Amino acid sequence: MSRTTRRVPLVNLSHYRSGTPEERARFVRVFGEALKEFGFVSVEGHGIDDGLIRRTYSDVASFFGLPEQVKQRYHLAGVGGQRGYTPFGKEHAKNRTVGDLKEFWHVGRDLPEGHPRRPKSGAQNVWPEEVPGFRTNTLALYSALDEAAAVMLQAVAEYFGIARNTFSDMARDGTSTLRVIHYPPLKEKFVPGAVRAAEHEDINLITLLCEGTASGLEILTRDGEWIPVDTLRGQIVVDSGDMLSRITNGVIPATTHRVVNPPSLAEDNTRYSMPFFVHPYPDCMLEALPSTVTPEKPAPAPISADDFLQQRLRDIGMYK
């Protein structure tokens, strides 16, 4: 496939939810093969309301337009950025020291005290009182993405020929996070040697990325080629993270990706995006599927999802 025509495959989630047996089988095959080849796949027919996405982006823009001292009120100490506001340049890619050219907000799953799957950090959501609709819209989007992710994880399990709920059960009551990101124009904020999001792999099982407000996302293919991936209106881009790669013993990769800086002054605009990081519950053990283990490719040592997450949060500068 040529450099100019190579594209991440597109599937329709409604074919899996309510299609014919042939449509369901094709979805499982194409979805699984796309993750296996690219670590990325585009999804339409996902059922996420377009109006909800638009309203959430409007609230996100309102929040990030607030004065710096106001935003800083919502920066929580001691939780590794797992809730609330993370300031510009705080996070960096693994093995880098220069911070990314972004600021963001995290919305997570609030479980009651005493719940067996409540994170050890005890972090709970906070809400910006200056943006009245922020809580309602982000929680509604979180719920919709959470449900869609469970369905996609069921399809991944079917691709591997294992119990359909294997991966979706891992994510039930998991520490999944909706991140809303603001990339300001470079003419406003720039750090030499920094990019909007340096090349990295996601930590989690899968990520659902609602369409961004500007281009810039690129993935690194297995043959070392960077190709752009545009999240078009009505589509969600799904990518596989380190945890799913670990469970599948590398059969599904955690693909390296990045958000590049605008290539020209004419394109130096504000960019917003909203990835939903799907995480297992904290005590879930990340163990390789037996079918993926061979003498040539032994399984990595088991580790709990929370231990793995905390290790990676330290790697990217969220804990000091």
Side-chain angles (χ1 to χ4, degrees):
M1 192 175 290
S2 74
R3 294 174 65 91
T4 56
T5 61
R6 197 167 199 197
R7 294 289 184 271
V8 169
L10 174 67
V11 295
N12 190 311
L13 189 59
S14 69
H15 292 170
Y16 183 73
R17 279 184 168 131
S18 56
T20 65
E22 293 76 17
E23 287 174 329
R24 285 178 57 88
R26 182 180 182 280
F27 180 93
V28 169
R29 177 178 58 80
V30 176
F31 190 78
E33 289 296 328
L35 289 180
K36 184 177 178 180
E37 169 63 20
F38 291 97
F40 273 72
V41 58
S42 294
V43 180
E44 61 185 2
H46 46 70
I48 311 299
D49 178 60
D50 182 74
L52 175 60
I53 293 173
R54 307 273 79 76
R55 292 191 300 274
T56 306
Y57 268 132
S58 178
D59 288 339
V60 168
S62 295
F63 172 76
F64 287 115
L66 293 171
E68 195 67 29
Q69 64 269 26
V70 175
K71 291 185 289 186
Q72 288 285 356
R73 294 179 199 157
Y74 301 102
H75 177 47
L76 308 180
V79 299
Q82 294 179 67
R83 294 289 195 280
Y85 175 65
T86 295
F88 182 85
K90 167 75 173 175
E91 184 182 77
H92 60 77
K94 185 179 178 182
N95 298 323
R96 283 177 62 95
T97 56
V98 179
D100 288 343
L101 303 176
K102 65 176 187 264
E103 57 183 343
F104 55 88
W105 181 286
H106 275 168
V107 176
R109 191 190 313 276
D110 280 346
L111 297 174
E113 192 169 349
H115 192 288
R117 292 183 174 177
R118 180 176 164 127
K120 295 173 185 175
S121 70
Q124 298 285 282
N125 286 314
V126 294
W127 305 107
E129 59 185 28
E130 296 81 6
V131 187
F134 191 98
R135 176 176 183 168
T136 297
N137 288 323
T138 56
L139 285 178
L141 184 59
Y142 184 108
S143 179
L145 290 167
D146 198 35
E147 190 275 333
V151 176
M152 294 179 200
L153 287 172
Q154 290 169 358
V156 177
E158 287 196 43
Y159 177 75
F160 279 92
I162 58 178
R164 187 165 177 256
N165 291 335
T166 300
F167 299 131
S168 58
D169 281 352
M170 292 179 182
R172 184 177 297 136
D173 293 332
T175 55
S176 298
T177 301
L178 175 63
R179 171 181 285 193
V180 295
I181 311 173
H182 172 223
Y183 302 93
L186 300 189
K187 58 181 171 284
E188 294 180 5
K189 285 195 172 184
F190 180 69
V191 177
V195 294
R196 283 186 154 175
E199 56 189 69
H200 65 283
E201 300 80 40
D202 288 345
I203 300 170
N204 44 295
L205 292 170
I206 59 173
T207 301
L208 278 60
L209 180 65
C210 296
E211 65 263 25
T213 63
S215 61
L217 176 64
E218 295 183 347
I219 68 171
L220 185 64
T221 65
R222 288 188 179 231
D223 58 6
E225 177 188 354
W226 284 104
I227 61 173
V229 178
D230 287 325
T231 43
L232 304 179
R233 188 158 183 167
Q235 297 178 4
I236 283 175
V237 170
V238 179
D239 73 89
S240 47
D242 285 328
M243 291 184 181
L244 185 62
S245 181
R246 193 179 187 94
I247 294 167
T248 64
N249 203 22
V251 173
I252 290 180
T255 293
T256 303
H257 54 286
R258 65 188 182 186
V259 178
V260 297
N261 292 343
S264 68
L265 286 175
E267 297 169 89
D268 185 19
N269 300 316
T270 297
R271 184 180 192 268
Y272 299 104
S273 69
M274 298 189 297
F276 180 69
F277 301 115
V278 182
H279 282 265
Y281 58 90
D283 291 337
C284 178
M285 293 304 297
L286 307 178
E287 300 179 274
L289 298 173
S291 63
T292 66
V293 179
T294 67
E296 296 75 28
K297 196 168 187 182
I303 186 172
S304 75
D306 188 61
D307 285 345
F308 188 83
L309 173 62
Q310 300 308 316
Q311 173 184 306
R312 287 296 305 276
L313 289 176
R314 288 190 291 271
D315 288 342
I316 62 175
M318 300 305 288
Y319 284 119
K320 296 297 186 185

